[in-house]
Amino acid sequence: MSAHLTILRAGPGLTVQDLGRPGYLDMGLSRGGAVDRLALAEGAALLGQPDSLAAVEMAGTGGEFQADQDLRIALTGARMRAQINGATAVWNASHLLPAGARLSIGPAVAGSYGYLSVGGGVLGDPVLGARSAHLTAGIGALLTAGDRLAIGPDAGGATGMTFDPEDRFSGGEIRIVASFQTDLFAPDELERLQATVFRRDARANRMGVRLESDGPGFHVSGGRSVLSETIVPGDIQVTGDGTPFVLLAECQTTGGYPRIGTVLPCDLPKVAQAPAGADLRFRFVSLDEGVAAERAAAQARAALPRALRPLIRDPRSMSDLLSYQLISGAIAREEDVL
Amino acid sequence: MQDFPIIRTAGVDGLLISFAAALSEPANRAALAFRAALEAEGWAGVEETSSSLVSAFVRFDPLRLTHAALHQQVQALLDQRDWYAADLPGGRRFWRVPTVFGTDLAPQLGQAAQAAGLSEAEAIRSLSQARVRVQTIGFAPGQPYLGELPPAWDIPRQKELTPRVPEGALAVALRQLVLFSVTTPTGWQHVGQTAIRLFQPDVPEPFLLRPGDEVQFTTTDTETLARMRSDPRGGASCEALA
């Protein structure tokens, strides 16, 4: 019998996400998937499984969860306060969630999107080849209290592992490349874009993030009559009043508002994770620098399994000490036998 | 600017091959045909292709396929033939979609007609008699850009977005119509309302329209449209085109 994870209480932005649904761009359906794909890769590395498995994405805050069998879980992305039966569960780490135990995940203390990955992955019927909810397309739905998620068979492995995540939870400098509409903007507008300190607006979702600044808007002549053209995640779209939006995983596939530049895929999690009010700055890099940055990020992702180390737990904080056990023949580690 | 077609980058992992700066029938045919050719090539490192109104798009993995190599492959394919002379895609169909123009269902008919220099009656006649073609599917799943409308309809998008138009809304700007597949904010002017459902993720053929299909928006009344809402096609009829 397969395991299930029941949602006892759900924050307002819980969805099932994986790497998305490529192949339907020509039919107007964007790839979607997790807004912080690195966090999925981190969760997969902690559990020793492929990053193609689906996890629960939590926007802003988490919820309360209970499993009907022992599950291995990993908590990644925006740091949230997590407890298993009242004992603190360290973020950016893997844990055993014993059958019947309550996992509660509170509001984000750094970043915007947290991820709950499960050994074996979240199942459910794929739609057009993926399990990701794509809410703007009407695929899937927000998770709510009472939902029961089927969990895939877990190949097993260690829990109680942690790592140091790439810092991407407080805004900062974002690298962008010129796109095919960048030269619609005058050179001094591009200079001003790079000199401006933007703040992430509270208005943000899986489609995109609105940017605020104190200066005037950014403008092109004839901006309202540009032919609708292909859009990619990371595009910085400038709407009619001159406000830039950075488009994320669930963006539209074409659009008529001009794009002033495109964020590198490896820097996009930093935009998605920036909390409301965080500073964001943009810097143009060459295509070669952009490809080099993507290569470095891919290498860092591939090295994640080697970056893991055992959690050093404080036994005094482990109210459920006796419930800790190893599953599927993992090798005993010091902190598990304290 | 160099002569079309031009090859430009879209982000660090995308290439856009554009056949014109403005929409035209030959450029649209070229974009559709070139995208089909790219898809047929199946190059290693290419992850996804699509077409927009006058361009074909390639998303690729720049760590597997360099920009220089892909650029060269694309240029060689461009040189193979006159893409502007390409035929429309095969298997095209003609759709008649019942539409309520104006009323409180489509409140911007009046202002759009005025922008086009037409009375409301003239605007309805013009829009309902036009036989338009799906030039591309984009923005939202299954959502067509349709054209080309008579020159009077070369009106700009609104500066302020309409916060919300419903699924099935018909909107106009730039000598084109868009038929919305989802509820969305838009800068286009909402002139008609249909009951058509363009994207249904749970049925065997989730996307109703295809690029190349022809569409006419025939007039109906509010009561008839309300009855058509139980039909996923919203009362639309469809016949094959030779």
Side-chain angles (χ1 to χ4, degrees):
Chain A
M1 193 191 75
S2 72
H4 288 86
L5 184 69
T6 298
I7 298 174
L8 304 175
R9 183 171 52 77
L14 260 56
T15 54
V16 172
Q17 293 298 335
D18 54 19
L19 292 174
R21 198 173 269 109
Y24 298 97
L25 203 54
D26 198 52
M27 282 290 133
L29 177 58
S30 58
R31 197 170 12 144
V35 293
D36 181 352
R37 301 160 87 82
L38 177 56
L40 274 191
E42 292 168 345
L46 281 166
L47 296 171
Q49 62 189 17
D51 65 2
S52 54
L53 296 177
V56 177
E57 181 179 275
M58 303 174 285
T61 190
E64 199 161 311
F65 307 84
Q66 192 172 39
D68 61 358
Q69 293 179 25
D70 288 0
L71 292 181
R72 295 188 309 137
I73 62 165
L75 304 169
T76 60
R79 190 154 50 82
M80 297 172 162
R81 289 187 208 285
Q83 295 181 320
I84 295 174
N85 278 346
T88 297
V90 176
W91 206 259
N92 295 309
S94 57
H95 303 276
L96 178 75
L97 179 64
R102 284 180 177 237
L103 166 66
S104 63
I105 301 178
V109 291
S112 289
Y113 290 92
Y115 292 82
L116 165 60
S117 300
V118 183
V122 176
L123 295 184
D125 293 333
V127 176
L128 300 175
R131 296 188 165 87
S132 287
H134 192 307
L135 300 181
T136 53
I139 299 174
L142 287 169
L143 298 175
T144 56
D147 285 351
R148 202 162 162 264
L149 304 175
I151 305 301
D154 184 6
T159 54
M161 301 300 283
T162 187
F163 71 106
D164 298 318
E166 182 187 310
D167 179 20
R168 56 184 186 279
F169 304 106
S170 51
E173 185 183 270
I174 306 297
R175 289 166 293 184
I176 62 178
V177 289
S179 198
F180 56 86
Q181 289 174 332
T182 299
D183 60 10
L184 295 175
F185 294 82
D188 57 342
E189 287 286 86
L190 302 181
E191 283 305 315
R192 195 159 65 80
L193 178 81
Q194 297 184 86
T196 301
V197 178
F198 294 95
R199 289 178 306 279
R200 180 192 144 139
D201 194 295
R203 279 168 280 183
N205 55 32
R206 291 178 38 77
M207 293 177 72
V209 167
R210 186 179 188 272
L211 301 176
E212 286 184 319
S213 71
D214 297 326
F218 295 81
H219 292 286
V220 296
S221 58
R224 282 196 290 152
S225 293
V226 174
L227 200 60
S228 286
E229 190 49 277
T230 298
I231 278 182
V232 298
D235 271 355
I236 307 174
Q237 172 179 264
V238 179
T239 51
D241 65 359
T243 304
F245 281 77
V246 181
L247 298 171
L248 299 181
E250 213 164 277
C251 64
Q252 63 271 39
T253 64
T254 59
Y257 291 115
R259 271 57 66 59
I260 197 167
T262 306
V263 175
L264 294 182
C266 62
D267 279 4
L268 208 46
K270 211 171 179 178
V271 178
Q273 290 287 12
D279 287 349
L280 290 167
R281 299 178 312 280
F282 296 100
R283 179 168 67 87
F284 278 102
V285 298
S286 71
L287 211 48
D288 285 345
E289 285 174 87
V291 172
E294 287 301 314
R295 181 167 287 114
Q299 285 164 351
R301 268 197 310 277
L304 279 171
R306 298 193 295 281
L308 303 183
R309 61 172 193 276
L311 267 176
I312 306 300
R313 290 187 178 131
D314 179 352
R316 287 166 299 186
S317 70
M318 295 175 69
S319 61
D320 56 343
L321 189 60
L322 292 177
S323 73
Y324 280 86
Q325 57 174 292
L326 296 165
I327 62 172
S328 304
I331 296 160
R333 287 190 164 79
E334 196 175 43
E335 73 283 2
D336 286 308
V337 291
L338 279 170
Chain B
M1 189 178 275
Q2 71 176 100
D3 288 341
F4 287 94
I6 55 171
I7 305 171
R8 295 172 294 178
T9 56
V12 78
D13 58 355
L15 215 58
L16 189 77
I17 302 96
S18 300
F19 291 88
L23 180 58
S24 71
E25 167 84 17
N28 181 235
R29 288 178 185 231
L32 294 177
F34 193 70
R35 185 263 169 173
L38 283 168
E39 197 67 19
E41 290 290 324
W43 292 328
V46 167
E47 303 198 323
E48 191 162 11
T49 70
S50 69
S51 58
S52 52
L53 291 166
V54 296
S55 306
F57 171 72
V58 183
R59 182 169 66 82
F60 67 105
D61 179 355
L63 306 184
R64 285 184 67 197
L65 177 59
T66 65
H67 276 87
L70 178 59
H71 199 286
Q72 205 168 19
Q73 286 170 226
V74 164
Q75 187 62 57
L77 190 59
L78 279 173
D79 293 342
Q80 277 182 14
R81 60 166 294 186
D82 177 6
W83 295 95
Y84 296 94
D87 292 332
L88 283 167
R92 299 190 311 120
R93 297 158 302 170
F94 173 45
W95 298 82
R96 285 186 184 83
V97 182
T99 306
V100 173
F101 289 94
T103 77
D104 55 350
L105 289 180
Q108 291 176 311
L109 177 70
Q111 70 187 54
Q114 194 174 14
L118 304 172
S119 70
E120 287 197 22
E122 287 167 340
I124 292 173
R125 202 174 312 124
S126 171
L127 293 172
S128 64
Q129 285 176 359
R131 184 155 157 166
V132 287
R133 193 159 56 70
V134 178
Q135 297 160 318
T136 188
I137 303 277
F139 186 82
Q143 183 167 303
Y145 289 71
L146 301 138
E148 186 174 40
L149 289 171
W153 293 105
D154 194 7
I155 61 177
R157 295 184 190 84
Q158 310 169 80
K159 189 163 187 184
E160 298 297 322
L161 295 183
T162 304
R164 181 182 174 279
V165 295
E167 181 178 3
L170 182 68
V172 64
L174 308 172
R175 293 183 73 179
Q176 285 176 295
L177 293 165
V178 166
L179 183 56
F180 285 92
S181 67
V182 293
T183 296
T184 185
T186 183
W188 294 52
Q189 310 214 41
H190 184 190
V191 293
Q193 185 62 44
T194 74
I196 201 166
R197 296 189 58 198
L198 297 162
F199 175 57
Q200 296 179 77
D202 300 324
V203 305
E205 290 203 32
F207 304 97
L208 201 62
L209 300 181
R210 294 195 289 259
D213 284 357
E214 294 185 12
V215 185
Q216 187 174 358
F217 295 95
T218 56
T219 55
T220 191
D221 56 64
T222 310
E223 293 72 31
T224 312
L225 190 79
R227 284 199 301 276
M228 288 169 169
R229 289 194 182 277
S230 57
D231 172 12
R233 288 186 170 185
S237 66
C238 165
E239 62 187 75
L241 286 174

